[in-house]
Amino acid sequence: LQIKQIHTLKNILGLDDDLYREMLASFGVYTSKKLTETEANILIEILQNKKKKYLVLSHFFKNLGLIDMTKFC
């Protein structure tokens, strides 16, 4: 369940593979399957926080008609 949630958040945020691998490397692993339960929960929390910020910013800029935030993710 955690791995599926991690990959869902990764896709929602549009993280490229290099950035995603860097995030995993910060936990000393190369695949999400190697994360401990605690590490997976931490990564999920990080990704959820990024998702919240992305949604707030994209809504703000979309309403102003300034830029398309998808170009930044």
Side-chain angles (χ1 to χ4, degrees):
L1 182 63
Q2 289 176 311
I3 293 171
K4 184 176 179 181
Q5 190 173 4
I6 288 168
H7 285 268
T8 299
L9 288 164
K10 174 187 174 267
N11 291 334
I12 289 170
L13 290 166
L15 296 179
D16 67 34
D17 201 49
D18 290 338
L19 178 56
Y20 177 66
R21 297 291 168 200
E22 285 181 36
M23 293 178 82
L24 290 175
S26 73
F27 291 95
V29 299
Y30 61 91
T31 175
S32 58
K33 294 176 186 175
K34 298 287 185 183
L35 293 169
T36 66
E37 184 176 346
T38 300
E39 291 169 335
N41 285 331
I42 291 168
L43 181 56
I44 289 167
E45 187 175 325
I46 290 167
L47 294 172
Q48 285 174 335
N49 287 337
K50 290 186 178 301
K51 178 184 168 193
K52 289 176 191 173
K53 289 177 185 175
Y54 168 78
L55 292 174
V56 168
L57 287 173
S58 64
H59 179 73
F60 175 75
F61 286 111
K62 182 180 175 186
N63 283 342
L64 290 177
L66 296 176
I67 56 174
D68 179 2
M69 286 299 293
T70 59
K71 295 176 183 175
F72 296 97
C73 293

